[in-house]
Amino acid sequence: MTLQGKVALVAGATRGAGRGIAVELGAAGATVYVSGRTTRDRRSEYDRPETIEETAELVTAAGGKGIAVPTDHLVAEEVRALVERLRRDEGRLDVLVNDIWGGEKLFEWNKPVWDHNLDNGLRLLRLGVDTHLITAHFALPLMIERPGGLLVEVTDGTADYNARNYRLSPFYDLAKTSVLRMAWAHAKDLATHGATAVAITPGWLRSEMMLEHFGVSEDNWRDATTKVPHFVISETPRFVGRAVAALAADPDVARWNGQSLSSGGLAQVYGFTDLDGSRPDAWRYLDEVEAAGKPADATGYR
């Protein structure tokens, strides 16, 4: 599998799934532009230490070429400038990954709309939905100039799972199901240009924030299963990264156009594994638990 000569933009690549996707695209040989709000000079409202410069360095270390471009994807002019730089410096865009999120500190668990903080809920929708549309608006015209382009919309939950399950609150539920529908809608427009759009969800992601929440590191993450047994189905951000890299390298990727995909499901098709050689399939696991009539917590997967 090689992506030599290909150019990708991973929007929202500071940490978590976005970072894992960027690194695996780089490992396959791609030039990867990584964007986000947190740099070594300035932090976003997350106030966390991960930066887009670090992500770009990881991409390069993996074998690709990482280029960090500070961008607030709610600011149209910043996104326009990012795409103009891509056009000027590379003259092409083969893969666009919309992983922009930013809502972990904004959603409130199991609260109806009248109890949820309204400003936080509306901000969550702007960060999780508007950013994807703004980025697609400016980036897709460059992508469709060559046939074979791929748009990946990253969300939380498969279309089937989210259709059956209420996801935390009306705001979070709407944000994550909107991205699924967005990928389906883009697929209709992109097909006529020889391009493909999909939605993808990781499973229970061992992101920097999730590991910190459980008080573990990647080296001893299994210690968290003593408190939350379901954490055994978790995966590294690189697992969904390998899923996206496999899609990007598939000459028949159009077969997935408009579909809702998962890292675990694609591992069964393409044969890749997580860093430890395992093939976690969180959403299938949750479906089996649900079918058995047992409760399972599917929150916090991104």
Side-chain angles (χ1 to χ4, degrees):
M1 179 178 69
T2 180
L3 295 175
Q4 290 286 342
K6 301 293 186 180
V7 177
L9 166 60
V10 182
T14 312
R15 60 184 66 83
R19 174 173 282 189
I21 292 168
V23 172
E24 287 298 332
L25 290 171
T31 294
V32 187
Y33 283 69
V34 298
S35 63
R37 295 176 295 166
T38 297
T39 69
R40 288 185 173 134
D41 298 323
R42 183 185 66 212
R43 290 191 179 189
S44 73
E45 62 207 59
Y46 270 113
D47 194 26
R48 290 192 56 84
E50 302 88 14
T51 69
I52 57 171
E53 292 94 342
E54 289 172 353
T55 300
E57 290 165 0
L58 289 169
V59 170
T60 301
K65 180 180 179 182
I67 301 169
V69 184
T71 309
D72 184 338
H73 286 265
L74 273 178
V75 181
E77 287 309 309
E78 291 190 22
V79 180
R80 185 199 303 272
L82 167 61
V83 175
E84 287 176 349
R85 177 174 173 180
L86 271 164
R87 180 180 293 280
R88 181 179 65 251
D89 293 352
E90 309 294 340
R92 63 189 296 162
L93 177 62
D94 302 287
V95 181
L96 169 61
V97 180
N98 269 336
D99 184 55
I100 316 129
W101 172 222
E104 274 90 351
K105 296 183 178 181
L106 296 173
F107 65 81
E108 300 172 33
W109 291 48
N110 303 319
K111 284 193 176 181
V113 67
W114 57 88
D115 285 335
H116 197 290
N117 180 284
L118 181 59
D119 289 339
N120 286 351
L122 294 176
R123 172 74 173 168
L124 181 154
L125 288 172
R126 289 218 68 209
L127 287 168
V129 179
D130 290 12
T131 53
H132 289 232
L133 290 167
I134 291 168
T135 306
H137 174 81
F138 289 107
L140 290 182
L142 176 58
M143 194 183 84
I144 62 175
E145 288 181 3
R146 296 170 181 261
L150 173 65
L151 166 63
V152 180
E153 292 283 350
V154 184
T155 189
D156 174 17
T158 63
D160 184 58
Y161 186 88
N162 286 2
R164 302 192 318 270
N165 291 274
Y166 176 38
R167 305 305 309 277
L168 295 176
S169 77
F171 296 106
Y172 188 91
D173 193 293
L174 180 58
K176 297 310 177 184
T177 55
S178 292
V179 173
L180 287 161
R181 182 70 179 187
M182 197 183 303
W184 181 87
H186 288 319
K188 302 298 183 184
D189 295 330
L190 290 175
T192 59
H193 296 275
T196 300
V198 301
I200 194 168
T201 178
W204 195 337
L205 199 68
R206 293 201 300 274
S207 65
E208 299 87 351
M209 295 179 75
M210 185 61 68
L211 291 170
E212 186 176 286
H213 173 74
F214 283 122
V216 294
S217 68
E218 184 56 34
D219 291 333
N220 69 335
W221 69 268
R222 289 176 179 81
D223 292 350
T225 63
T226 60
K227 298 178 181 178
V228 184
H230 288 300
F231 199 51
V232 72
I233 64 173
S234 64
E235 64 196 55
T236 73
R238 298 280 290 277
F239 192 52
V240 70
R242 290 177 175 181
V244 173
L247 288 169
D250 185 352
D252 191 28
V253 69
R255 62 183 159 146
W256 301 111
N257 197 34
Q259 294 190 41
S260 163
L261 308 172
S262 69
S263 51
L266 288 175
Q268 304 304 316
V269 176
Y270 290 108
F272 60 85
T273 66
D274 206 343
L275 297 180
D276 62 0
S278 66
R279 280 200 186 103
D281 195 348
W283 300 104
R284 185 182 67 177
Y285 174 86
L286 287 169
D287 286 341
E288 291 172 354
V289 170
E290 184 179 303
K294 299 176 182 179
D297 185 0
T299 58
Y301 272 45
R302 286 198 57 236

